[in-house]
Amino acid sequence: MDPESMDTEYDVIVLGTGITECILSGLLSVDGKKVLHIDKQDHYGGESASVTLSQLYDKFKQNPISKEEREAKFGRDRDWNVDLIPKFLMANGELTNILVHTDVTRYVEFKQVSGSYVFKQGKIYKVPATEMEAISSSLMGVFEKRRMKKFLEWIGSYEEDDISTHQGLDLDRNTMDEVYTKFGLGNSTKEFIGHAMALWTNDDYLHQPARPSVERVLLYCQSFSRYGKSPYLYPLYGLGELPQGFARLSAIYGGTYMLDTPIEKVDYNEQGKFQGVQTKLGHFRAPLVIADPTYFPEKCKSTGQRVIRAICILDHPVASTNNADSLQIIIPQSQVDRKNDIYIAIVSDSHHVCAKGHYLAIISTIIETDKPHKELEPAFQLLNPIEERFMGIAELFEPKEDGSKDNVYLSRSYDSSSHFESMTDDVKDVYFRVTGHPLVLKTRQDGDN
Amino acid sequence: MNSSVTSIKLVLLGEAAVGKSSIVLRFVSNDFSENKEPTIGAAFLTQRVNIGEQTVKFEIWDTAGQERFASLAPMYYRNAQAALVVYDITKPQSFIKARHWVKELHEQASKGIVIALVGNKLDMIENGGERKVAKEEAEKLAEEEGLLFFETSAKSGENVNEVFLGIGEKIPIKKPGEQANEQSGLRITDDQRVDLTNSVNGPVRSAGCNC
């Protein structure tokens, strides 16, 4: 179809095809909104894309190696789908829920992540997945295991409306530290629960009300019990499949897609409200816009956090992991004298993200010093030898305002957490700001299949 | 009795309004509607055909308009075993576009993909319209690029089933056991692949954690 003959009036314009924007685009199209979705780049995914090796070299290296050299070392470019931001799905988390309700599961296949590991005194230990593993695990002593069991039983049987299940604890008044004390849990168990299960990246939670921590532990346990090896899932061909899947959902419900289309100018009316954009394909109008922070830097502010990420290519599995094809390693802050945990996400050719025989490990943490690459040293030591590494620093942004003044509704940067729960919170937040009502997931109705 | 069912992912490519969806609609439900609106809300259509002893199930993916501004996702081509590249025999521009899609498929799709070049709207010529793409020219392209070639009319149904039968015959049939277990409805091909919609194992509201 010619650009001239296309519609220029829409209900919503969405800028950027990161996963947050693609989910919103899909949900709004399903709601019957007429959506125009534009990306300035020539591929889907924005900051949450998976890229080929040549794209990765272009992005991170000043002097890219020659095509011949690259192919000799790493094989065909098209076999690589390298995530720019490392995350896994919680098997029982909200993204899984959205995928199932929207039927985007039809376009993406998932595998379990083989294991979750935690770093303790220089070594890594598997987070036990079965009772057998738990009994033989040297993570904690016999008595501590018993106390831990009591704690998990309390979480499992806790019913909000049945005070007899609360064992005298009030999730909104007692801090998590008080909960730990009640069950007599020692420091290393606290660290395990808070960092390897509740997935807090620092210790601030200890002195806050226990509810969010308890909910996180429960999500971890439910996700773990769903498929059995770890609480995490990962899509074949990389995380970049997720935005593509939701973009397809949007397109199937009438959404229009334009990649490789930079925004030349944003138009506002006399009241300062958004009314459209100018592009090489012409003017497009809509009463509101949804965008990631890169499209409106002047309307965003720094969260004060900067994240360093190092993408490492290995030609061997990680030591002491029983040759796992995929895993997470958490290095709790206290183990390496830091304030924030270091995460490592490892995937491999069995996920179709790299050429045969290779592994991809992405390290990330919140920067604490002026030598951030040095901060990753404990992680590099677990991964050595490393064939190639690509390092980048990202400042995290959030919108200054809620969008009601100018009808410009902005999402947040992708944070350093190891899963998508904060991203789906952001989706719900933007959805609420845009529509004025909370997101209610409905099961998609199609005639076929 | 059929021993097994082979699923084939088939993708549609071609300029807007050449009749991609109409061909599929004719094939899937033996139907045609004159002023068909672009398909809304269908993830993909499926149709089973018997080829010899074998049942082939086509999973047919529509572009959903994402081809218009060069915005087709790599996901679209991923694991496609067959493609229909459709043009309108009364519109030379659509044939130029078809050449482009064939090139794109060779670059993006899996190596063994079976491609059928389909010149649609035969009925318009039979009703006095003017043919603008010579059959010989299309046959030449098909021969050079190793494509199946058909001229069809989605409106009358002429040659439509032949396209899909032709593709089904050309795709290597996997022996039973190589294919994902169809009856269970689960997309599990090895022990770690999971079906998110499967609620047999959960979700469980309990401290199901064994730690």
Side-chain angles (χ1 to χ4, degrees):
Chain A
M1 192 182 287
D2 303 329
E4 298 77 43
S5 69
M6 72 172 298
D7 291 333
T8 56
E9 300 277 339
Y10 292 85
D11 295 327
V12 185
I13 292 173
V14 182
L15 304 180
T17 55
I19 181 163
T20 309
E21 285 68 34
C22 285
I23 294 177
L24 284 161
S25 177
L27 292 170
L28 291 168
S29 289
V30 172
D31 283 352
K33 296 275 187 291
K34 194 173 162 193
V35 177
L36 173 63
H37 202 157
I38 300 176
D39 199 303
K40 56 192 170 191
Q41 292 179 287
D42 64 359
H43 56 269
Y44 283 92
E47 308 276 302
S48 62
S50 303
V51 301
T52 62
L53 210 49
S54 59
Q55 288 173 313
L56 199 64
Y57 271 102
D58 288 345
K59 206 173 161 67
F60 287 94
K61 302 276 184 188
Q62 310 232 304
N63 302 307
I65 59 173
S66 71
K67 184 169 178 246
E68 291 70 31
E69 197 187 335
R70 193 189 69 228
E71 285 180 349
K73 248 172 122 176
F74 300 118
R76 289 190 311 178
D77 201 36
R78 55 179 286 182
D79 290 337
W80 294 79
N81 296 291
V82 185
D83 301 333
L84 296 177
I85 291 181
K87 283 182 187 295
F88 292 132
L89 286 86
M90 298 294 286
N92 222 32
E94 195 57 15
L95 181 54
T96 309
N97 194 18
I98 295 174
L99 281 161
V100 170
H101 274 87
T102 54
D103 245 356
V104 171
T105 43
R106 287 182 177 188
Y107 314 131
V108 192
E109 269 192 279
F110 293 88
K111 273 182 99 161
Q112 278 192 74
V113 172
S114 295
S116 176
Y117 287 73
V118 61
F119 179 92
K120 193 180 165 190
Q121 289 159 0
K123 284 202 252 177
I124 59 171
Y125 296 86
K126 188 165 193 291
V127 176
T130 64
E131 218 152 315
M132 281 298 283
E133 280 185 6
I135 290 164
S136 60
S137 170
S138 48
L139 259 173
M140 38 182 107
V142 178
F143 295 108
E144 193 68 2
K145 274 179 191 158
R146 208 169 286 168
R147 289 190 282 268
M148 173 84 170
K149 194 159 178 264
K150 287 248 183 311
F151 166 78
L152 289 175
E153 280 166 1
W154 169 71
I155 287 195
S157 60
Y158 187 95
E159 295 282 345
E160 197 61 47
D161 301 330
D162 182 356
I163 203 155
S164 71
T165 64
H166 297 190
Q167 297 194 26
L169 289 163
D170 181 334
L171 297 188
D172 297 314
R173 302 185 73 160
N174 289 113
T175 65
M176 196 59 191
D177 206 29
E178 286 164 353
V179 172
Y180 287 149
T181 306
K182 156 105 183 166
F183 288 94
L185 297 169
N187 278 337
S188 75
T189 310
K190 289 183 192 177
E191 181 178 279
F192 177 77
I193 294 169
H195 293 261
M197 295 180 78
L199 302 167
W200 293 114
T201 58
N202 60 49
D203 271 343
D204 296 350
Y205 78 98
L206 281 173
H207 307 293
Q208 288 161 2
R211 186 179 295 280
S213 298
V214 167
E215 284 172 354
R216 280 165 166 241
V217 173
L218 190 62
L219 172 64
Y220 189 91
C221 290
Q222 289 174 339
S223 295
F224 215 131
S225 65
R226 193 150 173 185
Y227 300 109
K229 286 193 177 173
S230 81
Y232 300 119
L233 303 177
Y234 187 80
L236 297 186
Y237 302 100
L239 296 177
E241 294 297 281
L242 298 168
Q244 291 179 43
F246 285 101
R248 180 161 171 82
L249 172 73
S250 180
I252 277 169
Y253 279 85
T256 300
Y257 275 82
M258 286 180 194
L259 297 187
D260 201 13
T261 306
I263 304 303
E264 289 161 3
K265 188 167 172 284
V266 179
D267 297 327
Y268 297 91
N269 67 13
E270 303 86 68
Q271 286 85 48
K273 288 199 186 281
F274 176 86
Q275 63 177 19
V277 292
Q278 283 180 35
T279 71
K280 64 184 178 189
L281 292 170
H283 279 66
F284 302 101
R285 292 163 64 90
L288 64 95
V289 65
I290 296 171
D292 76 45
T294 65
Y295 287 82
F296 292 91
E298 73 286 0
K299 292 182 191 289
C300 293
K301 60 176 195 280
S302 171
T303 63
Q305 283 190 343
R306 292 192 312 146
V307 177
I308 180 164
R309 299 184 176 109
I311 299 167
C312 304
I313 301 177
L314 317 180
D315 62 0
H316 58 89
V318 179
S320 320
T321 63
N322 210 5
N323 299 337
D325 68 348
S326 52
L327 64 145
Q328 176 188 48
I329 302 173
I330 295 172
I331 306 178
Q333 29 98 350
S334 63
Q335 293 289 329
V336 284
D337 203 17
R338 292 173 52 78
K339 294 190 195 68
N340 295 283
D341 294 358
I342 301 170
Y343 286 126
I344 314 175
I346 294 140
V347 286
S348 63
D349 61 48
S350 70
H351 308 88
H352 305 287
V353 293
C354 54
K356 206 135 199 74
H358 294 278
Y359 292 75
L360 284 173
I362 311 186
I363 311 167
S364 63
T365 192
I366 295 166
I367 295 174
E368 297 173 9
T369 70
D370 53 9
K371 291 197 178 62
H373 56 284
K374 283 259 192 288
E375 298 181 40
L376 303 182
E377 203 47 53
F380 290 140
Q381 279 174 19
L382 294 175
L383 300 177
N384 276 333
I386 295 165
E387 282 185 280
E388 184 66 283
R389 69 184 87 181
F390 306 86
M391 287 210 258
I393 289 173
E395 188 157 3
L396 304 186
F397 293 97
E398 60 189 4
K400 284 182 191 161
E401 291 180 346
D402 67 4
S404 55
K405 239 188 257 169
D406 52 9
N407 291 348
V408 177
Y409 297 93
L410 301 176
S411 61
R412 307 167 64 96
S413 308
Y414 301 104
D415 66 16
S416 64
S417 67
S418 62
H419 50 65
F420 286 102
E421 299 306 304
S422 55
M423 185 279 294
T424 48
D425 285 346
D426 196 32
V427 166
K428 289 178 182 173
D429 179 52
V430 177
Y431 185 90
F432 181 77
R433 285 189 272 140
V434 166
T435 64
H437 57 83
L439 173 61
V440 180
L441 292 170
K442 288 164 288 206
T443 302
R444 189 168 145 196
Q445 305 283 338
D446 292 348
D448 197 79
N449 233 11
Chain B
M1 270 302 285
N2 293 309
S3 51
S4 66
V5 178
T6 303
S7 282
I8 294 176
K9 175 177 172 182
L10 179 147
V11 296
L12 294 173
L13 291 164
E15 202 175 52
V18 295
K20 298 189 288 291
S21 299
S22 297
I23 289 174
V24 174
L25 191 65
R26 172 60 74 189
F27 171 58
V28 170
S29 49
N30 198 19
D31 199 1
F32 181 84
S33 72
E34 196 68 51
N35 291 306
K36 203 179 163 308
E37 289 292 316
T39 333
I40 302 271
F44 41 76
L45 295 168
T46 59
Q47 177 72 319
R48 287 165 188 255
V49 289
N50 294 322
I51 296 171
E53 289 286 282
Q54 191 72 29
T55 301
V56 171
K57 181 182 161 202
F58 285 102
E59 272 185 11
I60 304 166
W61 289 49
D62 203 296
T63 56
Q66 284 177 298
E67 82 284 15
R68 276 199 290 169
F69 306 103
S71 303
L72 262 188
M75 164 184 281
Y76 190 69
Y77 302 102
R78 194 98 68 211
N79 297 324
Q81 291 151 282
L84 291 196
V85 176
V86 186
Y87 65 94
D88 175 344
I89 59 172
T90 69
K91 295 214 174 68
Q93 179 60 34
S94 73
F95 186 69
I96 295 172
K97 210 60 208 272
R99 285 183 186 275
H100 157 83
W101 287 117
V102 170
K103 187 164 164 272
E104 185 84 359
L105 279 166
H106 285 318
E107 283 168 13
Q108 300 263 5
S110 3
K111 271 228 146 52
I113 190 166
V114 174
I115 305 171
L117 179 67
V118 179
N120 192 34
K121 305 203 181 175
L122 259 183
D123 52 279
M124 291 179 83
I125 295 175
E126 283 151 13
N127 293 322
E130 195 187 341
R131 173 192 280 273
K132 296 263 179 66
V133 181
K135 195 171 180 182
E136 296 71 38
E137 195 182 351
E139 276 170 341
K140 188 162 162 269
L141 175 64
E143 193 168 328
E144 283 167 6
E145 301 284 344
L147 320 173
L148 296 170
F149 171 62
F150 300 89
E151 287 192 334
T152 62
S153 165
K155 190 172 181 179
S156 72
E158 186 176 350
N159 239 359
V160 169
N161 284 346
E162 284 73 5
V163 174
F164 292 89
L165 288 171
I167 288 171
E169 280 166 5
K170 224 184 154 187
I171 285 182
I173 300 298
K174 288 182 180 164
K175 293 183 191 76
E178 285 180 62
Q179 192 75 17
N181 189 353
E182 195 73 26
Q183 289 87 337
S184 68
L186 308 183
R187 301 180 84 191
I188 298 178
T189 45
D190 66 46
D191 67 327
Q192 286 188 347
R193 291 206 195 176
V194 295
D195 178 6
L196 299 188
T197 54
N198 169 23
S199 56
V200 176
N201 299 334
V204 202
R205 198 208 173 278
S206 76
C209 197
N210 298 313
C211 320

